[in-house]
Amino acid sequence: MIYFTKKPTQSLMLKFIIAICISVSLVACGGKTSTKTESKKAEEKKELLTLSLSAKQLELMNIQLVQPGKKAIASYVYLNGKVSSLPNNQANISSDLEGKVEQVFVTEGNYIGRGQPVLTLRSMPLIELQNEYLNTKSEMDFLAIEFKRQTELVNSNVGALAQYQVVEAKYNAIIAKEKALRAKLETLGVNVNDLQTPQNAVIKKMITISSPISGYIHKLPVKVGMLASPQSVLAEVVNLSEMQADLFVYDKDLNLIQEGQTVDLDFINASVPNVTGRVINIERMIDSENKAITIHVKFSAPDKSFVVPGMSVRGAVVNPNDKELSYAVPFSALLKEEDNYYVFFTNKTEDKEGKMSFKKAKVKLGDKNEQMVEIQFLNAVTEDIFIVQNNPMILENERRKNQ
């Protein structure tokens, strides 16, 4: 603040006003100069996002260029689950008659064909069943002769009709019993032709238990001398040629699933190659444990691969709603800095020194699959650009070195 010790003259006041005006002008000019300097620095910083490289340099850096083009990237919905056996590809082996284990032909882990013997049982009920058949067969032969005789008497008007009817009823009953016993014995593997006459009958005392399907012996809880009943599970067999994946789908993705749809399956075990399966059915209830709906995907196990029930599996379902065209590049083209993504691109125009100008551009990611990802440039670019598809970090290091 300026103090005057005496009343200023008009001339002095004029000089003072001029001095103030000059000071204000200088300050204003200084502000404009500062703004221009900051703007210039920003332009320089923006220009530093580019670099120039020759074809030789690109070759040494192993840089490859690709013209992205616009395409629709099919994104996937991933579903987790477990491998399980198909109902017709697993079997519990048991005996229809009680008996003691006489001999076991397989061990756990063995592959066994359909109809191949698993074990034999020594069975007293089998002997009794054959004896019952022989008695029934003898009685049937006797009633056959008696029925024939009664038929002749009735036709000759000699025999009583009542007696004929009694014999006929007994004969039909014994025929039915013989057929039932024959079916039981044939089910147990007994050749009934060996039991046609008591004098030449061959009584069998062993039951051979065979596998109903081809597959691997999963469990074999038996040993020689053990008493096996019809309720005992003597072995478990599982066929691994065809299996199913039980995948869990949450309600937000349920509209993407339909029966007959193909599903790509991959396994946690990296040695097992990916396979393609087909949705065979969708459950109509929500699982109370995981709050999801289970879909069953049938697939064929890869040759010479170890895939067993209980293994974890992941299914990939294509999202049918992804139809919008966008720039798509491989993941190797992306340069990540914190939470942002960038790509380098060029229009392949060479300057006087034979160098191409590359620009670093920030992009926004869209849909993606295992190989490609959609990108969206934040600033407009021309259609004839080429994107660096590999080693973007090498270009970034070169750009920083030039900076």
Side-chain angles (χ1 to χ4, degrees):
M1 182 177 295
I2 300 174
Y3 297 92
F4 295 98
T5 55
K6 60 181 180 179
K7 186 177 182 180
T9 63
Q10 185 175 4
S11 175
L12 184 59
M13 286 293 293
L14 181 60
K15 290 180 180 180
F16 178 71
I17 292 170
I18 294 172
I20 291 175
C21 291
I22 294 173
S23 299
V24 171
S25 299
L26 291 175
V27 171
C29 291
K32 291 181 180 179
T33 303
S34 176
T35 302
K36 290 181 179 179
T37 303
E38 292 176 358
S39 177
K40 185 175 180 180
K41 288 181 178 179
E43 289 293 328
E44 290 176 353
K45 186 175 181 180
K46 185 176 180 181
E47 291 175 359
L48 290 177
L49 294 178
T50 66
L51 76 158
S52 297
L53 297 172
S54 63
K56 185 65 176 178
Q57 288 176 304
L58 292 176
E59 183 179 354
L60 292 174
M61 296 177 181
N62 192 25
I63 299 295
Q64 298 176 358
L65 303 177
V66 62
Q67 195 165 17
K70 289 188 175 182
K71 61 181 71 174
I73 293 295
S75 64
Y76 290 89
V77 176
Y78 294 100
L79 313 172
N80 295 318
K82 297 285 185 180
V83 175
S84 65
S85 300
L86 291 169
N88 289 332
N89 283 359
Q90 57 184 351
N92 290 340
I93 298 177
S94 59
S95 173
D96 293 319
L97 285 181
E98 186 180 87
K100 288 188 176 181
V101 176
E102 183 75 13
Q103 188 176 4
V104 181
F105 302 110
V106 296
T107 59
E108 291 184 357
N110 284 158
Y111 182 84
I112 189 170
R114 180 178 181 178
Q116 184 176 337
V118 177
L119 51 85
T120 57
L121 298 177
R122 185 175 69 254
S123 175
M124 293 302 293
L126 176 63
I127 298 174
E128 294 172 359
L129 186 61
Q130 293 173 93
N131 180 55
E132 184 180 1
Y133 177 81
L134 284 170
N135 292 335
T136 301
K137 182 69 170 58
S138 296
E139 186 177 355
M140 185 182 69
D141 292 341
F142 170 76
L143 287 174
I145 296 173
E146 180 63 18
F147 178 69
K148 182 180 179 181
R149 189 176 72 84
Q150 290 293 330
T151 302
E152 291 175 352
L153 291 174
V154 169
N155 291 336
S156 302
N157 295 320
V158 176
L161 181 60
Q163 183 64 26
Y164 169 80
Q165 292 174 337
V166 170
V167 173
E168 182 184 25
K170 289 182 179 180
Y171 182 53
N172 289 335
I174 205 68
I175 289 175
K177 185 177 180 180
E178 189 273 341
K179 287 183 177 180
L181 291 173
R182 176 187 290 266
K184 286 183 179 181
L185 291 171
E186 288 176 348
T187 301
L188 295 170
V190 176
N191 186 359
V192 183
N193 293 328
D194 294 335
L195 303 174
Q196 294 305 303
T197 58
Q199 295 83 357
N200 301 319
V202 179
I203 304 295
K204 193 175 180 183
K205 63 180 180 179
M206 295 291 181
I207 301 175
T208 300
I209 307 298
S210 302
S211 176
I213 63 172
S214 298
Y216 293 91
I217 300 295
H218 174 48
K219 290 182 180 179
L220 191 68
V222 297
K223 57 184 178 181
V224 174
M226 186 187 84
L227 181 64
S229 67
Q231 293 77 30
S232 304
V233 176
L234 305 178
E236 293 184 21
V237 182
V238 58
N239 189 324
L240 303 180
S241 60
E242 282 191 329
M243 290 182 284
Q244 70 180 13
D246 301 328
L247 304 178
F248 306 118
V249 184
Y250 294 98
D251 50 1
K252 66 181 181 65
D253 298 324
L254 193 58
N255 63 314
L256 304 177
I257 308 298
Q258 58 184 356
E259 292 183 0
Q261 182 177 6
T262 58
V263 179
D264 294 330
L265 301 173
D266 66 273
F267 304 87
I268 293 180
N269 189 339
S271 64
V272 180
N274 294 358
V275 297
T276 300
R278 181 176 57 85
V279 178
I280 54 176
N281 55 60
I282 303 172
E283 293 189 7
R284 265 58 180 183
M285 293 289 289
I286 295 179
D287 190 284
S288 58
E289 293 184 3
N290 51 39
K291 307 301 180 184
I293 294 176
T294 303
I295 67 171
H296 303 286
V297 180
K298 183 179 178 181
F299 68 94
S300 297
D303 293 337
K304 299 180 181 179
S305 296
F306 191 75
V307 179
V308 296
M311 289 182 64
S312 297
V313 65
R314 184 181 70 163
V317 179
V318 177
N319 188 343
N321 300 325
D322 296 329
K323 298 179 181 179
E324 185 178 350
L325 299 180
S326 301
Y327 285 114
V329 297
F331 283 98
S332 58
L334 297 177
L335 175 67
K336 184 177 181 181
E337 294 181 354
E338 296 181 351
D339 294 331
N340 300 317
Y341 290 90
Y342 300 85
V343 295
F344 284 93
F345 70 92
T346 178
N347 58 9
K348 278 193 170 182
T349 302
E350 296 183 355
D351 57 16
K352 295 180 180 179
E353 299 178 358
K355 293 184 176 182
M356 290 183 286
S357 176
F358 290 84
K359 294 182 180 180
K360 177 184 177 183
K362 186 177 180 180
V363 294
K364 181 180 178 181
L365 302 188
D367 291 331
K368 57 187 175 182
N369 56 26
E370 297 293 338
Q371 294 84 26
M372 307 288 285
V373 59
E374 291 180 355
I375 61 172
Q376 181 181 358
F377 288 94
L378 301 186
N379 298 315
V381 295
T382 58
E383 296 285 343
D384 59 346
I385 62 170
F386 288 82
I387 289 180
V388 174
Q389 73 168 356
N390 65 321
N391 299 329
M393 182 54 71
I394 295 179
L395 289 187
E396 177 63 10
N397 292 337
E398 188 70 19
R399 185 191 69 81
R400 291 179 180 178
K401 184 167 52 176
N402 293 340
Q403 182 179 349

